[in-house]
Amino acid sequence: MALTLNPGTLIVASAYPDPPFDLMENGSAGGFDIELMDAISAQLGMRLQPVSYSGDDFNGIFDGLAKRTCDAVISGTTITPERSAIVLFSQPYPEFNQGIAVNRHLTPNASSVADLRGLTAGIQSGNTSDLVARRLLAEGVIADIKYYPYHGIGSALDDLEAGRIGLVVKLFPVISWLVKDRPRLAVAMQVPTREKLGIAFAKDNEALCGAVDRALKTLHGNGEFARLQTRWFPPPTGS
């Protein structure tokens, strides 16, 4: 089979907003994922065509692979056994923990999960942050979980600012980016989930997955991957 749906074009689906992985600036797609896939497309001699996923549940993004509306999915996507059962994943690249954002005016001293007792967590539907929230609920730490559609992350943060929920759980670099311009909010802690991220492909497209893995190896070898990583995930000041 051909590597891609349209010869010479790599159609890649991402879910927005998911900065610094995927973001829209002046109507154009940007972020780490887009720049990485642009570099991979160049290695493959292809043109990148980003497309946007707008479903309520993040896991629905993988339907595009089975329905042949995209060639790949990249959106800060954690590799999980459930997802690996329906799609192929590239070799993992970055690894991140989940982060927990709180309202510093309402929970000024929160520094550990024990300080979240009795609060309600806001979670985007289909995100791996749900595993963290459900564990905290089962342990009797948090009181409840409120689910938001994937594109409703802004509403979750608005509710956190207003005190309607007590925390939001999301992949650490994303939640850190999302609260940086909301002075009432802060990322109080990380939960050490050590999630490996990957690029997803249709289950029967081993050829494209292999080609992208080889391109990733080249980008690691020539320093381009490290450059992109430093640009979008700079180390904390003083580290």
Side-chain angles (χ1 to χ4, degrees), residues 104-140:
R104 278 301 190 198
H105 290 253
L106 300 177
T107 50
N109 300 315
S111 60
S112 71
V113 293
D115 300 320
L116 307 175
R117 191 166 300 279
L119 301 179
T120 294
I123 301 294
Q124 286 171 294
S125 296
N127 269 16
T128 51
S129 49
D130 189 27
L131 299 175
V132 174
R134 284 193 281 119
R135 189 185 79 223
L136 294 176
L137 183 64
E139 292 172 352

Side-chain angles (χ1 to χ4, degrees), residues 125-209:
S125 296
N127 269 16
T128 51
S129 49
D130 189 27
L131 299 175
V132 174
R134 284 193 281 119
R135 189 185 79 223
L136 294 176
L137 183 64
E139 292 172 352
V141 176
I142 62 173
D144 201 2
I145 301 172
K146 181 176 181 180
Y147 290 95
Y148 295 81
Y150 187 83
H151 53 78
I153 185 62
S155 296
L157 296 172
D158 290 344
D159 284 352
L160 184 58
E161 283 186 321
R164 290 185 286 268
I165 60 175
L167 62 142
V168 170
V169 189
K170 192 160 175 64
L171 205 64
F172 176 72
V174 182
I175 193 63
S176 298
W177 184 291
L178 291 172
V179 305
K180 66 181 181 179
D181 295 323
R182 292 178 181 251
R184 293 180 65 87
L185 307 183
V187 180
M189 66 199 79
Q190 293 189 53
V191 179
T193 53
R194 298 180 64 87
E195 297 179 37
K196 293 178 171 59
L197 310 187
I199 306 162
F201 307 90
K203 199 70 171 174
D204 61 353
N205 202 348
E206 295 94 344
L208 180 57
C209 184

Side-chain angles (χ1 to χ4, degrees), residues 78-117:
T78 299
I79 301 170
T80 68
E82 295 78 12
R83 292 170 179 173
S84 296
I86 59 171
V87 299
L88 289 177
F89 276 104
S90 68
Q91 290 298 309
Y93 48 103
E95 180 180 289
F96 294 106
N97 295 323
Q98 291 286 328
I100 296 180
V102 299
N103 185 320
R104 278 301 190 198
H105 290 253
L106 300 177
T107 50
N109 300 315
S111 60
S112 71
V113 293
D115 300 320
L116 307 175
R117 191 166 300 279

